[in-house]
Amino acid sequence: MWRGDESDAAGEQRADDDAVDKMTEFTSRYGLTEREREVFTLLMTRDDKGDVMAKEHGVSRRGFVSIASSIYGKTDTGSRVALLQKYMSE
């Protein structure tokens, strides 16, 4: 392994840690439940449609939509795009 590779890996790990810290801070600020935090993470990190993510995580489509709606309500956003914009701006 080249010395530069070690430095790159350390930098990537710090960036990952910072992203996790930001998500934790955001979800705590808005009082999201553990399940809402899971769905929030999916909404922020995946491009898939809600029904695909719901199926992969053993939640009904209606349940997933309900959880997402609760997140939108708590964060005063009305959509996935608005949620992402709010998250990125804070």
Side-chain angles (χ1 to χ4, degrees):
M1 178 183 281
W2 292 96
R3 206 156 180 53
D5 292 342
E6 291 173 5
S7 177
D8 290 346
E12 288 176 15
Q13 182 61 48
R14 276 192 304 279
D16 289 346
D17 291 346
D18 290 347
V20 169
D21 290 346
K22 182 176 180 175
M23 280 193 172
T24 300
E25 182 182 321
F26 185 89
T27 58
S28 293
R29 180 180 311 124
Y30 291 101
L32 302 188
T33 66
E34 187 61 35
R35 192 62 163 162
E36 289 169 341
R37 288 172 191 238
E38 292 172 14
V39 170
F40 172 81
T41 300
L42 293 173
L43 292 170
M44 295 298 101
T45 61
R46 303 268 306 267
D47 288 335
D48 298 323
K49 292 185 178 185
D51 54 344
V52 172
M53 291 185 283
K55 186 175 182 179
E56 287 179 5
H57 292 279
V59 180
S60 70
R61 182 183 181 285
R62 175 174 255 158
F64 191 89
V65 168
S66 177
I67 295 167
S69 293
S70 178
I71 294 167
Y72 301 150
K74 288 181 177 183
T75 58
D76 196 30
T77 58
S79 69
R80 188 176 185 176
V81 171
L83 180 64
L84 177 61
Q85 289 172 333
K86 184 169 201 151
Y87 173 71
M88 296 303 291
S89 70
E90 291 190 11

